[in-house]
Amino acid sequence: MKCELKRSIQKGLVQIYTGDGKGKTTAALGQGMRAAGRQYTVYMIQFLKGMHSGEIDAVQNLHPYFQIFRFGQTEKFFYALSEKEKSECCQDVRRGYRFALEMMKKGECDILILDEIMGALYNQLITVYEACSLIHHKPEQMELILTGRDAPQELIELADYVSEIKMVKHPFSKGIKAREGIEY
């Protein structure tokens, strides 16, 4: 659903949030919320996330300016999936990749966030070439944001912004599990 826009981005850039620290998705969500507050249309495509998370509920309040679409939904880490689950997940991630290309082609949003696309790359569900192709197919007036650990050098070179979020200390090392409203 395309919103009636009051403005458009003159020159959309490419942003990457990467690193082993907490906050990559949170940074992308913050950027999306800022843009939605200015009545830009924001689509976030989440890869490899299935657990219900607070951002899903919060973003519903920003509809129609901010929407989240999920592909490759799983509550487990990819390596813990059975071969059948991996195959199904891969097919769904591929649908998400095609969906992202279609959103670019149609120009349905001002900001497109590809959350955890680096996880899809790491697990070889899409290729670096395909991820680079997304950047090359980005419309001039669309901002593209990619998140996830271990951004490949090829993507870093194509991006305009790259922020590395580094873990210095994390409560998981003390046995503290992810907390609702904080980590998810």
Side-chain angles (χ1 to χ4, degrees):
M1 170 181 170
K2 185 162 172 76
C3 302
E4 289 300 317
L5 303 176
K6 294 186 177 180
R7 59 175 62 157
S8 66
I9 296 173
Q10 296 301 310
K11 170 87 173 120
L13 301 176
V14 176
Q15 301 182 34
I16 293 177
Y17 296 105
T18 192
D20 63 357
K22 176 192 176 313
K24 298 172 288 292
T25 297
T26 306
L29 284 161
Q31 182 67 63
M33 289 178 62
R34 177 182 287 157
R38 298 294 187 183
Q39 298 180 330
Y40 288 107
T41 302
V42 181
Y43 285 178
M44 174 181 264
I45 298 174
Q46 289 190 319
F47 295 100
L48 303 174
K49 289 189 172 180
M51 181 181 287
H52 188 76
S53 186
E55 66 254 25
I56 301 294
D57 298 328
V59 165
Q60 285 178 352
N61 296 324
L62 299 172
H63 187 72
Y65 295 105
F66 199 148
Q67 296 180 61
I68 296 177
F69 304 89
R70 288 181 147 189
F71 295 91
Q73 292 187 53
T74 178
E75 291 188 13
K76 300 179 197 174
F77 289 109
F78 188 78
Y79 66 82
L81 299 176
S82 70
E83 289 307 312
K84 182 178 186 260
E85 290 170 323
K86 285 180 180 179
S87 176
E88 291 169 356
C89 184
C90 180
Q91 290 173 23
D92 201 29
V93 166
R94 304 289 312 154
R95 277 193 290 279
Y97 173 79
R98 290 189 300 275
F99 181 75
L101 283 172
E102 189 66 22
M103 292 306 100
M104 288 180 174
K105 183 178 176 184
K106 290 181 178 178
E108 286 200 15
C109 58
D110 300 300
I111 291 102
L112 180 61
I113 301 168
L114 303 178
D115 187 36
E116 280 305 329
I117 192 164
M118 304 309 169
L121 285 165
Y122 177 81
N123 290 294
Q124 301 177 344
L125 305 175
I126 63 170
T127 66
V128 172
Y129 175 82
E130 288 171 317
C132 290
S133 179
L134 287 168
I135 293 173
H136 291 303
H137 285 92
K138 180 191 81 60
E140 180 72 17
Q141 294 182 311
M142 179 184 284
E143 193 84 3
L144 180 62
I145 302 171
L146 301 96
T147 75
R149 293 173 178 249
D150 303 316
Q153 190 61 37
E154 295 90 337
L155 293 181
I156 289 171
E157 289 173 11
L158 292 173
D160 300 293
Y161 292 95
V162 177
S163 296
E164 184 173 8
I165 299 172
K166 181 181 178 194
M167 181 182 65
V168 175
K169 190 175 185 180
H170 197 288
F172 185 76
S173 64
K174 294 180 184 177
I176 299 172
K177 296 185 186 225
R179 298 164 298 146
E180 184 176 345
I182 307 298
E183 283 86 21
Y184 67 94

Short mmCIF file of all heavy atoms in Angstrom, two decimals, residues 139-174:
data_model
loop_
_atom_site.label_atom_id
_atom_site.label_comp_id
_atom_site.label_asym_id
_atom_site.label_seq_id
_atom_site.Cartn_x
_atom_site.Cartn_y
_atom_site.Cartn_z
N PRO A 139 16.56 2.63 -6.56
CA PRO A 139 16.19 3.88 -7.23
C PRO A 139 16.92 5.09 -6.63
O PRO A 139 17.24 5.09 -5.44
CB PRO A 139 14.68 4.00 -6.98
CG PRO A 139 14.23 2.62 -6.63
CD PRO A 139 15.41 1.97 -5.96
N GLU A 140 17.15 6.08 -7.44
CA GLU A 140 17.89 7.28 -7.02
C GLU A 140 17.27 7.93 -5.78
O GLU A 140 17.98 8.43 -4.92
CB GLU A 140 17.92 8.28 -8.18
CG GLU A 140 18.65 9.57 -7.88
CD GLU A 140 20.16 9.42 -7.79
OE1 GLU A 140 20.70 8.40 -8.25
OE2 GLU A 140 20.80 10.32 -7.24
N GLN A 141 15.95 7.92 -5.67
CA GLN A 141 15.28 8.62 -4.58
C GLN A 141 14.91 7.71 -3.42
O GLN A 141 14.07 8.06 -2.60
CB GLN A 141 14.03 9.33 -5.11
CG GLN A 141 14.39 10.44 -6.09
CD GLN A 141 13.16 11.18 -6.57
OE1 GLN A 141 12.19 10.58 -6.99
NE2 GLN A 141 13.22 12.50 -6.50
N MET A 142 15.55 6.56 -3.31
CA MET A 142 15.28 5.62 -2.21
C MET A 142 16.52 5.48 -1.33
O MET A 142 17.62 5.30 -1.83
CB MET A 142 14.89 4.25 -2.76
CG MET A 142 14.60 3.21 -1.67
SD MET A 142 14.27 1.57 -2.35
CE MET A 142 12.60 1.81 -2.96
N GLU A 143 16.30 5.55 -0.03
CA GLU A 143 17.36 5.27 0.94
C GLU A 143 17.33 3.76 1.22
O GLU A 143 16.26 3.19 1.41
CB GLU A 143 17.10 6.04 2.25
CG GLU A 143 18.24 6.07 3.20
CD GLU A 143 19.25 7.18 2.91
OE1 GLU A 143 19.07 7.98 1.98
OE2 GLU A 143 20.26 7.23 3.63
N LEU A 144 18.48 3.12 1.23
CA LEU A 144 18.56 1.68 1.46
C LEU A 144 19.43 1.44 2.69
O LEU A 144 20.55 1.95 2.77
CB LEU A 144 19.17 0.99 0.24
CG LEU A 144 19.34 -0.53 0.31
CD1 LEU A 144 17.98 -1.22 0.47
CD2 LEU A 144 20.06 -1.04 -0.93
N ILE A 145 18.90 0.67 3.64
CA ILE A 145 19.61 0.39 4.88
C ILE A 145 19.74 -1.12 5.02
O ILE A 145 18.75 -1.85 4.94
CB ILE A 145 18.87 0.98 6.10
CG1 ILE A 145 18.70 2.50 5.94
CG2 ILE A 145 19.59 0.62 7.40
CD1 ILE A 145 17.81 3.15 6.98
N LEU A 146 20.97 -1.60 5.23
CA LEU A 146 21.24 -3.02 5.39
C LEU A 146 21.83 -3.26 6.77
O LEU A 146 22.67 -2.48 7.22
CB LEU A 146 22.24 -3.50 4.33
CG LEU A 146 21.81 -3.29 2.89
CD1 LEU A 146 22.39 -2.01 2.33
CD2 LEU A 146 22.24 -4.45 2.04
N THR A 147 21.39 -4.34 7.44
CA THR A 147 21.90 -4.62 8.77
C THR A 147 22.40 -6.05 8.88
O THR A 147 22.03 -6.91 8.08
CB THR A 147 20.84 -4.40 9.88
OG1 THR A 147 19.90 -5.47 9.86
CG2 THR A 147 20.14 -3.07 9.74
N GLY A 148 23.21 -6.28 9.89
CA GLY A 148 23.67 -7.62 10.23
C GLY A 148 25.17 -7.68 10.42
O GLY A 148 25.92 -6.82 9.97
N ARG A 149 25.60 -8.71 11.11
CA ARG A 149 27.01 -8.94 11.38
C ARG A 149 27.78 -9.24 10.10
O ARG A 149 27.22 -9.78 9.16
CB ARG A 149 27.18 -10.16 12.31
CG ARG A 149 26.65 -9.96 13.68
CD ARG A 149 26.72 -11.28 14.45
NE ARG A 149 26.25 -11.08 15.80
CZ ARG A 149 27.03 -11.13 16.87
NH1 ARG A 149 28.29 -11.42 16.77
NH2 ARG A 149 26.53 -10.90 18.05
N ASP A 150 29.05 -8.95 10.13
CA ASP A 150 29.99 -9.38 9.09
C ASP A 150 29.62 -8.91 7.69
O ASP A 150 29.56 -9.71 6.74
CB ASP A 150 30.14 -10.91 9.10
CG ASP A 150 30.58 -11.44 10.46
OD1 ASP A 150 31.50 -10.82 11.05
OD2 ASP A 150 30.01 -12.44 10.94
N ALA A 151 29.40 -7.63 7.54
CA ALA A 151 29.13 -7.09 6.19
C ALA A 151 30.33 -7.38 5.29
O ALA A 151 31.47 -7.08 5.65
CB ALA A 151 28.87 -5.58 6.25
N PRO A 152 30.09 -7.96 4.12
CA PRO A 152 31.21 -8.23 3.20
C PRO A 152 31.82 -6.94 2.67
O PRO A 152 31.14 -5.92 2.52
CB PRO A 152 30.57 -9.02 2.06
CG PRO A 152 29.19 -9.35 2.47
CD PRO A 152 28.83 -8.45 3.61
N GLN A 153 33.08 -6.98 2.38
CA GLN A 153 33.81 -5.82 1.89
C GLN A 153 33.16 -5.25 0.62
O GLN A 153 33.12 -4.03 0.43
CB GLN A 153 35.27 -6.18 1.62
CG GLN A 153 36.16 -4.98 1.34
CD GLN A 153 36.21 -3.99 2.49
OE1 GLN A 153 36.20 -4.36 3.66
NE2 GLN A 153 36.25 -2.71 2.17
N GLU A 154 32.62 -6.12 -0.23
CA GLU A 154 31.99 -5.64 -1.47
C GLU A 154 30.82 -4.71 -1.18
O GLU A 154 30.63 -3.70 -1.87
CB GLU A 154 31.47 -6.84 -2.31
CG GLU A 154 32.56 -7.76 -2.82
CD GLU A 154 32.90 -8.90 -1.88
OE1 GLU A 154 32.66 -8.80 -0.65
OE2 GLU A 154 33.43 -9.92 -2.37
N LEU A 155 30.04 -5.00 -0.13
CA LEU A 155 28.92 -4.13 0.23
C LEU A 155 29.42 -2.85 0.89
O LEU A 155 28.91 -1.76 0.63
CB LEU A 155 27.95 -4.85 1.17
CG LEU A 155 27.19 -6.02 0.58
CD1 LEU A 155 26.26 -6.64 1.62
CD2 LEU A 155 26.40 -5.62 -0.65
N ILE A 156 30.42 -2.99 1.74
CA ILE A 156 31.00 -1.82 2.40
C ILE A 156 31.50 -0.81 1.38
O ILE A 156 31.28 0.40 1.51
CB ILE A 156 32.11 -2.25 3.38
CG1 ILE A 156 31.47 -2.97 4.58
CG2 ILE A 156 32.98 -1.08 3.81
CD1 ILE A 156 32.45 -3.64 5.52
N GLU A 157 32.14 -1.29 0.33
CA GLU A 157 32.66 -0.40 -0.70
C GLU A 157 31.55 0.32 -1.46
O GLU A 157 31.73 1.46 -1.89
CB GLU A 157 33.54 -1.18 -1.67
CG GLU A 157 34.86 -1.60 -1.03
CD GLU A 157 35.70 -2.52 -1.89
OE1 GLU A 157 35.38 -2.71 -3.08
OE2 GLU A 157 36.68 -3.08 -1.36
N LEU A 158 30.38 -0.30 -1.60
CA LEU A 158 29.27 0.31 -2.33
C LEU A 158 28.45 1.27 -1.47
O LEU A 158 27.73 2.11 -2.00
CB LEU A 158 28.34 -0.78 -2.89
CG LEU A 158 28.90 -1.64 -4.00
CD1 LEU A 158 27.93 -2.78 -4.33
CD2 LEU A 158 29.20 -0.81 -5.24
N ALA A 159 28.54 1.14 -0.15
CA ALA A 159 27.72 1.94 0.76
C ALA A 159 28.24 3.36 0.90
O ALA A 159 29.41 3.66 0.66
CB ALA A 159 27.68 1.27 2.13
N ASP A 160 27.32 4.25 1.31
CA ASP A 160 27.68 5.64 1.59
C ASP A 160 27.98 5.84 3.07
O ASP A 160 28.82 6.66 3.42
CB ASP A 160 26.52 6.55 1.16
CG ASP A 160 26.22 6.43 -0.32
OD1 ASP A 160 27.08 6.82 -1.12
OD2 ASP A 160 25.15 5.90 -0.67
N TYR A 161 27.24 5.15 3.93
CA TYR A 161 27.46 5.17 5.38
C TYR A 161 27.75 3.74 5.81
O TYR A 161 27.05 2.82 5.38
CB TYR A 161 26.17 5.51 6.15
CG TYR A 161 25.58 6.86 6.06
CD1 TYR A 161 24.57 7.14 5.15
CD2 TYR A 161 25.95 7.86 6.95
CE1 TYR A 161 23.95 8.37 5.11
CE2 TYR A 161 25.34 9.10 6.91
CZ TYR A 161 24.33 9.35 5.99
OH TYR A 161 23.73 10.56 5.97
N VAL A 162 28.71 3.55 6.68
CA VAL A 162 28.91 2.25 7.30
C VAL A 162 29.20 2.51 8.78
O VAL A 162 30.15 3.21 9.11
CB VAL A 162 30.08 1.45 6.67
CG1 VAL A 162 30.28 0.13 7.41
CG2 VAL A 162 29.84 1.21 5.19
N SER A 163 28.35 1.95 9.63
CA SER A 163 28.55 2.06 11.07
C SER A 163 28.80 0.67 11.62
O SER A 163 27.99 -0.24 11.40
CB SER A 163 27.32 2.66 11.74
OG SER A 163 27.13 3.99 11.30
N GLU A 164 29.92 0.51 12.32
CA GLU A 164 30.22 -0.76 12.95
C GLU A 164 29.89 -0.65 14.43
O GLU A 164 30.47 0.17 15.15
CB GLU A 164 31.68 -1.15 12.76
CG GLU A 164 31.99 -2.52 13.33
CD GLU A 164 33.39 -3.00 13.02
OE1 GLU A 164 34.19 -2.22 12.48
OE2 GLU A 164 33.67 -4.16 13.32
N ILE A 165 28.99 -1.49 14.86
CA ILE A 165 28.57 -1.51 16.26
C ILE A 165 29.34 -2.64 16.93
O ILE A 165 29.16 -3.81 16.61
CB ILE A 165 27.05 -1.68 16.36
CG1 ILE A 165 26.37 -0.49 15.66
CG2 ILE A 165 26.62 -1.81 17.82
CD1 ILE A 165 24.89 -0.59 15.51
N LYS A 166 30.23 -2.27 17.82
CA LYS A 166 31.15 -3.22 18.42
C LYS A 166 30.70 -3.61 19.82
O LYS A 166 30.37 -2.75 20.62
CB LYS A 166 32.55 -2.60 18.48
CG LYS A 166 33.59 -3.49 19.07
CD LYS A 166 34.93 -2.81 19.12
CE LYS A 166 35.91 -3.76 19.78
NZ LYS A 166 37.11 -3.14 20.17
N MET A 167 30.74 -4.89 20.09
CA MET A 167 30.43 -5.36 21.44
C MET A 167 31.66 -5.17 22.32
O MET A 167 32.74 -5.65 21.99
CB MET A 167 30.03 -6.83 21.44
CG MET A 167 29.69 -7.31 22.83
SD MET A 167 29.25 -9.04 22.96
CE MET A 167 30.78 -9.83 22.51
N VAL A 168 31.49 -4.45 23.38
CA VAL A 168 32.55 -4.30 24.37
C VAL A 168 32.23 -5.20 25.57
O VAL A 168 33.10 -5.85 26.12
CB VAL A 168 32.68 -2.82 24.80
CG1 VAL A 168 33.70 -2.66 25.92
CG2 VAL A 168 33.06 -1.96 23.60
N LYS A 169 30.95 -5.25 25.91
CA LYS A 169 30.49 -6.05 27.02
C LYS A 169 29.04 -6.41 26.75
O LYS A 169 28.29 -5.59 26.23
CB LYS A 169 30.61 -5.22 28.31
CG LYS A 169 30.41 -5.96 29.58
CD LYS A 169 30.70 -5.01 30.76
CE LYS A 169 30.63 -5.74 32.06
NZ LYS A 169 30.91 -4.83 33.19
N HIS A 170 28.64 -7.63 27.10
CA HIS A 170 27.26 -8.07 26.86
C HIS A 170 26.81 -8.95 28.02
O HIS A 170 27.57 -9.81 28.47
CB HIS A 170 27.19 -8.85 25.54
CG HIS A 170 25.80 -8.99 25.02
ND1 HIS A 170 24.87 -9.81 25.59
CD2 HIS A 170 25.19 -8.41 23.97
CE1 HIS A 170 23.74 -9.74 24.92
NE2 HIS A 170 23.90 -8.89 23.93
N PRO A 171 25.58 -8.77 28.52
CA PRO A 171 25.11 -9.56 29.66
C PRO A 171 24.98 -11.05 29.37
O PRO A 171 24.95 -11.86 30.29
CB PRO A 171 23.75 -8.94 30.00
CG PRO A 171 23.35 -8.17 28.80
CD PRO A 171 24.61 -7.77 28.10
N PHE A 172 24.93 -11.44 28.11
CA PHE A 172 24.86 -12.86 27.76
C PHE A 172 26.06 -13.63 28.32
O PHE A 172 25.94 -14.78 28.73
CB PHE A 172 24.77 -13.02 26.24
CG PHE A 172 24.57 -14.45 25.80
CD1 PHE A 172 23.32 -15.05 25.92
CD2 PHE A 172 25.62 -15.19 25.28
CE1 PHE A 172 23.13 -16.37 25.53
CE2 PHE A 172 25.44 -16.51 24.89
CZ PHE A 172 24.19 -17.10 25.01
N SER A 173 27.21 -12.95 28.39
CA SER A 173 28.42 -13.60 28.92
C SER A 173 28.28 -13.92 30.41
O SER A 173 29.00 -14.75 30.94
CB SER A 173 29.65 -12.74 28.67
OG SER A 173 29.54 -11.52 29.37
N LYS A 174 27.32 -13.27 31.08
CA LYS A 174 27.04 -13.55 32.49
C LYS A 174 25.86 -14.52 32.64
O LYS A 174 25.38 -14.73 33.74
CB LYS A 174 26.68 -12.26 33.23
CG LYS A 174 27.80 -11.27 33.34
CD LYS A 174 27.28 -10.04 34.09
CE LYS A 174 28.31 -8.95 34.15
NZ LYS A 174 27.76 -7.75 34.81
#
